Amino acid sequence: MTARPQDPGTQKTDLPRPAAGSGGFLLVLGIIFVAAALRAPFTSVGPLLEQIRDGLGLSNTLAGFITTLPLLAFALLSPFAPQLARRYGLGNTLLLAMLTLSMGILLRSAAGVVTFFTGTALIGLAIAVCNVLLPGLIKGRFPARIGLMTGMYTVSMNLCAAAASGLSVPLAGIAGLGWRGTLSLWFIVAALATVFWIPQMKNLVQGNGTRPAAASVNIWRSPLAWQVTLFMGLQSLLYYVLIAWFSVILNERGMSSGHAGWILSLMQLAQLPFTFFVPLWAGRLKNQRGLVLITSMLFILGILGIWLGGNGWMALWAVCIGIAGGFAFGLAMMFFSLRTRTTQEASELSGMAQSVGYLLAAAGPALFGLLHDATHSWNAPLALLAAASLLLFVVGMGAGRDRYVGEQT
């Protein structure tokens, strides 16, 4: 794998570079805090789901919808986020999204079923906008440090996601906050992100060419864009299926709930360093096909280990899957910048990929469970995941080529 050459196209941006000194530092802090707030409000719900269900008097069906609703919001709004930024300005759109996120977190923790689901929907819509626009912002403001900034962004997101999963139950129980108090704590992170963002408003809406330019290609008609989109979708499907069902599989194989929870945490922790280093690595390469190969091999090895191996090796298979997930997520985030020439193209590709990706993610856990119910076995569902890992390799080899959307292939 050779180093990626300096291509004039990769330096074509439509936002000013970050100001030196405190302004640039505040922008970096703002991005880190926004990233920290993008998954934690979502992953903090799962461990508390039973308490939320009982506290609100929900049926199991409505309780399951708590985790599905944000994914549907991601899928529905993602394609429109670049249009909102083009019309109202990138800075204004991101600030409004963060204010909406803060409001949604508080509303979700208020009394009542209606306010809970309204707040959940607002959280999903706000996260969708930030998910889509931040990769384009990084490309435009940090053209020479895309890998570093993407690594910081992804590791902040995943570190807080893992912390939210692990701390929710102790905070609700031992600390006596209850599920409402625990969920409301993430307002602090969202509010800090908003505070750090306000000083950047002037830089993001003023100056020559600060508003995103119109996309130069039709992203939805680009074969390369579809390869990136399917890569994003398949890695999302693998992640959310395993988050939802891995502990259940281990429980049915005789492992205690505590031990299964530790294995699941190990899987999430294993991915953290790679969500930082893989973007740095990918940005230095002419193409990313070698990284795609490593990703798929680790996914397949881990899934086959769960399928065919015993409980004694389960920690190893969890680490393999965690590392693969770190590779896959880091690559998916980098593809938005590496396969495009401008901030607007990066945002358009991000919107397309995350829309389709989260639709697959929303459908994946349900399909996995349906196959298990139909076959009364984990063989068919795990075979489906292995097939998805092979397909991830196929589309990843296309997404990893040194090309840009809109180029003739």
Side-chain angles (χ1 to χ4, degrees):
M1 291 181 286
T2 57
R4 182 179 178 86
Q6 290 295 323
D7 187 316
T10 62
Q11 302 302 313
K12 181 181 180 182
T13 63
D14 36 36
L15 285 171
R17 295 190 181 189
S22 61
F25 179 68
L26 286 176
L27 176 59
V28 172
L29 281 180
I31 290 172
I32 290 172
F33 273 98
V34 171
L38 292 187
R39 273 197 180 179
F42 181 77
T43 59
S44 59
V45 170
L48 300 173
L49 192 57
E50 186 175 354
Q51 295 182 39
I52 295 170
R53 181 198 64 191
D54 295 342
L56 293 175
L58 302 176
S59 65
N60 285 326
T61 301
L62 276 178
F65 193 61
I66 292 172
T67 55
T68 303
L69 183 59
L71 293 176
L72 293 176
F74 297 166
L76 292 174
L77 188 59
S78 291
F80 303 104
Q83 299 175 32
L84 293 173
R86 195 160 56 237
R87 180 170 182 179
Y88 299 108
L90 181 60
N92 292 333
T93 305
L94 283 169
L95 180 62
L96 179 61
M98 285 180 284
L99 290 171
T100 303
L101 177 61
S102 301
M103 184 187 305
I105 291 171
L106 291 179
L107 194 60
R108 184 177 64 175
S109 301
V113 175
V114 173
T115 55
F116 181 88
F117 280 102
T118 302
T120 300
L122 290 176
I123 290 170
L125 294 172
I127 292 176
V129 171
C130 295
N131 273 340
V132 170
L133 297 183
L134 278 177
L137 172 66
I138 289 171
K139 181 177 179 65
R141 295 299 298 271
F142 303 92
R145 297 182 178 86
I146 292 174
L148 175 62
M149 288 304 302
T150 301
M152 293 172 66
Y153 163 73
T154 55
V155 79
S156 176
M157 183 187 303
N158 286 288
L159 180 61
C160 280
S165 295
L167 294 176
S168 289
V169 172
L171 286 173
I174 299 174
L177 295 178
W179 67 264
R180 295 184 191 276
T182 301
L183 294 184
S184 67
L185 282 178
W186 296 105
F187 169 80
I188 298 173
V189 178
L192 282 173
T194 305
V195 169
F196 282 121
W197 204 258
I198 292 174
Q200 304 304 321
M201 296 299 295
K202 181 178 179 180
N203 291 332
L204 290 176
V205 299
Q206 292 182 356
N208 183 26
T210 57
R211 287 187 183 270
S216 58
V217 296
N218 187 331
I219 297 292
W220 291 86
R221 293 184 179 180
S222 167
L224 177 57
W226 275 105
Q227 289 167 334
V228 173
T229 295
L230 289 174
F231 186 89
M232 174 68 188
L234 288 166
Q235 70 88 25
S236 296
L237 181 145
L238 287 164
Y239 175 81
Y240 283 104
V241 165
L242 288 165
I243 286 294
W245 289 104
F246 194 15
S247 295
V248 178
I249 294 172
L250 297 181
N251 289 154
E252 289 196 9
R253 291 188 176 180
M255 190 176 290
S256 69
S257 296
H259 193 186
W262 177 83
I263 295 290
L264 183 61
S265 296
L266 181 64
M267 184 185 80
Q268 295 183 77
L269 290 172
Q271 75 176 358
L272 287 178
F274 297 94
T275 59
F276 179 75
F277 289 113
V278 168
L280 289 174
W281 192 2
R284 295 177 180 270
L285 301 176
K286 183 176 181 180
N287 69 70
Q288 293 72 40
R289 287 180 160 186
L291 300 181
V292 169
L293 175 62
I294 294 171
T295 301
S296 298
M297 288 179 63
L298 285 170
F299 264 131
I300 292 170
L301 178 62
I303 291 166
L304 289 180
I306 295 172
W307 186 0
L308 304 173
N311 286 357
W313 292 88
M314 206 57 70
L316 175 62
W317 310 135
V319 169
C320 287
I321 291 172
I323 295 172
F327 267 75
F329 187 74
L331 281 172
M333 294 296 103
M334 282 299 288
F335 283 155
F336 302 151
S337 295
L338 295 177
R339 301 287 86 91
T340 56
R341 294 186 183 276
T342 68
T343 297
Q344 182 61 24
E345 284 182 2
S347 295
E348 295 279 358
L349 180 57
S350 176
M352 172 183 174
Q354 297 197 57
S355 175
V356 175
Y358 285 118
L359 278 177
L360 284 173
L367 177 60
F368 194 85
L370 182 64
L371 279 175
H372 175 261
D373 289 344
T375 62
H376 303 288
S377 168
W378 294 112
N379 291 335
L382 289 171
L384 178 67
L385 289 191
S389 301
L390 286 173
L391 186 56
L392 184 77
F393 170 75
V394 173
V395 299
M397 293 302 281
R401 293 176 300 165
D402 186 22
R403 300 276 186 175
Y404 297 95
V405 293
E407 287 184 347
Q408 296 295 322
T409 57

